[in-house]
């Protein structure tokens, strides 16, 4: 006699609908929705001339002035809280100079599209091949913010990914980190990351390249004057930043103890990052120690996240929690919003750091067949700083 089936006809019929419904939900949430968000943002921002706003009002005109031989830099005592501050490092202006051949509207749209390509390229270089990762990343508020502001965070993500991918090669990672630091000085801890990996020659190259880029200032201002200008810029905006110092200042902590506590936290994180050789920790340390941290800067953490989690997981949707916050600007800082950003990305960093360390003998599967071949470095432990980890 045949035993009765435990599954009722209703359950048997519902079985195939589970995977089908899940697949449909993924296509809608991680496929259609990100595309709709990006296209809507591009259309609205382009129509209101607010796409890549800081590129439009700062980088583009600064590049035109520098190419023409005109000094674009304001006096260090100027009021820098308004829009249109020409304070970007000189290398940024020279890199952006080809865009000055285009009308400003075409140039800003081109920069926005280039940013999307750089974000996608960074994930690809870091090992992500799962389309759902790209969809989830497209929903990150920092991604949308960078396209709206044109802070070039997407380009920095690409350079960080290249540095990680080529970290066992000669010169290439040092060149990538050097360019990144020359574009945004806050990324200087990445030179220490190279040194922690034993790539000391490349670390020196990165430091020399970033320092050498300051020579481009000399036709216009001295390096000392530019340093004072950057200090004035930091003092104008640091209390509104999405940073450790920002939340302390917004909560009423006096300036000196807030800066001292931030420096102590950053120093501790730097030591921990060195010991772990953790790319995520070095990037997080850069964000802690930077005087100014806008929302789009946190997109940099997508690179180490893609290294350890190149397939879709819940962690890729955690940064969606930062939607609804102002991206950048004077006077936007408020404790609740800053706390939301810090907690959200602390979860991301903790997730990455936990997965970066793998004990000796752990069978670590590459995210893509052959991707990890030849990339592991000898040492007492195997780290995702040295090879790809994708443990379930």
């Amino acid at each position: 006699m045949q035993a009765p089936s435990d599954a009722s006809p209703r359950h048997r019929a519902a079985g195939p609908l589970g995977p089908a419904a899940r697949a449909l939900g993924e296509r809608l949430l991680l496929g259609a929705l990100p595309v709709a968000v990006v296209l809507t943002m591009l259309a609205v921002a382009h129509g209101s001339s607010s796409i890549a706003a800081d590129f439009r009002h700062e980088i583009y005109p600064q590049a035109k002035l520098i190419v023409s031989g005109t000094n674009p830099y304001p006096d260090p005592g100027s009021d820098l809280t308004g829009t249109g501050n020409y304070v970007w490092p000189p290398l940024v202006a020279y890199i952006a100079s080809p865009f000055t051949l285009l009308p400003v509207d075409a140039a800003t749209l081109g920069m926005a599209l280039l940013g999307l390509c750089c974000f996608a390229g960074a994930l690809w270089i870091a090992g992500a091949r799962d389309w759902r990762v790209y969809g989830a990343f497209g929903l990150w508020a920092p991604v949308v913010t960078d396209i709206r502001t044109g802070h070039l965070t997407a380009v920095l993500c690409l350079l960080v990914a290249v540095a990680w991918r080529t970290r066992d090669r000669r010169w290439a990672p040092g060149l990538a980190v050097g360019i990144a630091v020359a574009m945004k000085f806050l990324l200087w801890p990445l030179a220490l990351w190279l040194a922690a990996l034993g790539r000391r020659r490349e670390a020196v190259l990165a430091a020399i390249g970033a320092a050498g880029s300051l020579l481009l200032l000399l036709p216009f201002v001295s390096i000392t004057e530019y340093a004072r200008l950057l200090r004035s810029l930091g003092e104008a905006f640091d209390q509104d930043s999405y940073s450790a110092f920002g939340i302390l200042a917004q909560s009423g902590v006096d300036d000196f103890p807030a800066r001292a506590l931030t420096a102590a936290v950053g120093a501790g994180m730097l030591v921990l990052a060195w010991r772990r050789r953790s790319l995520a920790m070095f990037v997080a340390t850069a964000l802690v120690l930077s005087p100014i941290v806008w929302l789009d800067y946190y997109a940099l953490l997508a690179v180490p996240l893609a290294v350890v989690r190149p397939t879709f997981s819940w962690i890729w949707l955690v940064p969606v929690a930062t939607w609804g916050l102002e991206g950048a600007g004077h006077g936007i800082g408020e404790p609740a919003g800053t706390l939301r950003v810090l907690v959200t990305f602390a979860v991301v960093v903790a997730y990455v750091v936990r997965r970066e360390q793998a004990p000796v003998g752990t069978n670590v599967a590459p995210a893509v067949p052959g991707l990890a071949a030849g990339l592991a470095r000898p040492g007492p432990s195997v780290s995702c700083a040295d090879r790809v980890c994708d443990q379930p």
Side-chain angles (χ1 to χ4, degrees):
M1 180 177 178
Q2 183 177 5
S5 173
D6 292 333
S8 66
R10 178 180 177 183
H11 290 159
R12 288 196 300 267
L17 294 180
R22 179 176 178 178
L24 177 60
E26 288 180 343
R27 285 177 171 81
L28 291 176
L29 176 64
L30 303 175
L33 181 59
V35 171
V37 167
V38 171
L39 291 180
T40 301
M41 180 269 298
L42 288 174
V44 172
H46 186 62
S48 61
S49 298
S50 62
I51 191 170
D54 283 358
F55 178 84
R56 171 187 290 268
H57 297 295
E58 295 179 358
I59 298 175
Y60 181 89
Q62 179 178 335
K64 289 182 73 73
L65 290 173
I66 282 185
V67 169
S68 68
T70 304
N71 177 20
Y73 295 103
D75 184 81
S78 303
D79 180 12
L80 301 177
T81 59
T83 59
N85 291 320
Y86 302 162
V87 295
W88 288 80
L91 183 62
V92 170
Y94 284 109
I95 291 175
S97 60
F99 285 94
T100 63
L101 301 176
L102 301 172
V104 64
D105 287 339
T108 52
L109 180 59
M111 176 54 64
L113 296 177
L114 176 63
L116 290 173
C117 293
C118 287
F119 276 135
L123 294 183
W124 184 271
I125 292 171
R129 301 294 186 270
D130 187 341
W131 67 269
R132 298 171 299 174
V133 168
Y134 293 81
F137 187 46
L139 293 175
W140 284 27
V143 171
V144 176
T145 298
D146 187 60
I147 303 304
R148 287 295 302 268
T149 59
H151 283 166
L152 306 184
T153 302
V155 179
L156 299 179
C157 282
L158 184 65
L159 289 169
V160 173
V162 169
W164 174 82
R165 189 68 179 87
T166 63
R167 65 201 176 281
D168 287 329
R169 300 180 187 175
R170 298 182 65 180
W171 311 120
L175 181 61
V177 170
I179 294 174
V181 176
M183 292 178 64
K184 279 282 181 74
F185 299 133
L186 69 94
L187 290 177
W188 63 265
L190 293 186
L192 296 181
W193 167 66
L194 290 175
L197 293 180
R199 314 298 296 172
R200 289 176 174 79
R201 176 172 49 198
E202 285 69 28
V204 171
L205 174 63
I208 292 175
S213 71
L214 295 175
L215 297 177
L216 298 173
L217 290 165
L218 296 183
F220 310 108
V221 294
S222 69
I223 295 176
T224 303
E225 289 175 320
Y226 186 64
R228 290 201 301 267
L229 179 61
L230 292 184
R231 181 176 180 179
S232 298
L233 184 70
E235 292 174 348
F237 290 99
D238 56 6
Q239 74 279 354
D240 294 311
S241 293
Y242 294 112
S243 63
F245 174 80
I247 194 169
L248 291 172
Q250 294 155 23
S251 301
V253 180
D254 290 340
D255 185 79
F256 179 78
R259 294 188 188 281
L261 182 58
T262 300
V265 171
M269 291 178 61
L270 198 60
V271 171
L272 183 60
W274 179 275
R275 293 182 62 182
R276 287 180 170 268
R277 299 183 299 170
S278 167
L279 175 60
M281 285 294 296
F282 276 108
V283 173
T285 302
L287 296 174
V288 168
L289 293 176
S290 175
I292 299 176
V293 181
W294 300 132
L295 185 57
D296 56 283
Y297 294 11
Y298 286 90
L300 290 164
L301 291 170
V303 175
L305 178 57
V307 170
V308 303
R309 188 66 202 187
T311 56
F312 178 70
S313 172
W314 61 270
I315 191 65
W316 280 102
L317 291 178
V318 168
V320 176
T322 57
W323 266 95
L325 297 173
E326 293 283 349
H330 182 69
I332 68 168
E334 51 91 17
T338 302
L339 180 62
R340 195 193 333 166
V341 172
L342 295 179
V343 170
T344 296
F345 288 99
V347 171
V348 173
V349 172
Y351 179 95
V352 174
V353 171
R354 180 176 178 271
R355 295 173 64 89
E356 277 180 330
Q357 297 300 319
V360 175
T362 299
N363 183 19
V364 181
V368 181
L371 184 61
L375 295 182
R377 294 175 54 81
S381 65
V382 178
S383 168
C384 288
D386 300 319
R387 63 185 294 181
V388 176
C389 295
D390 187 25
Q391 296 172 304

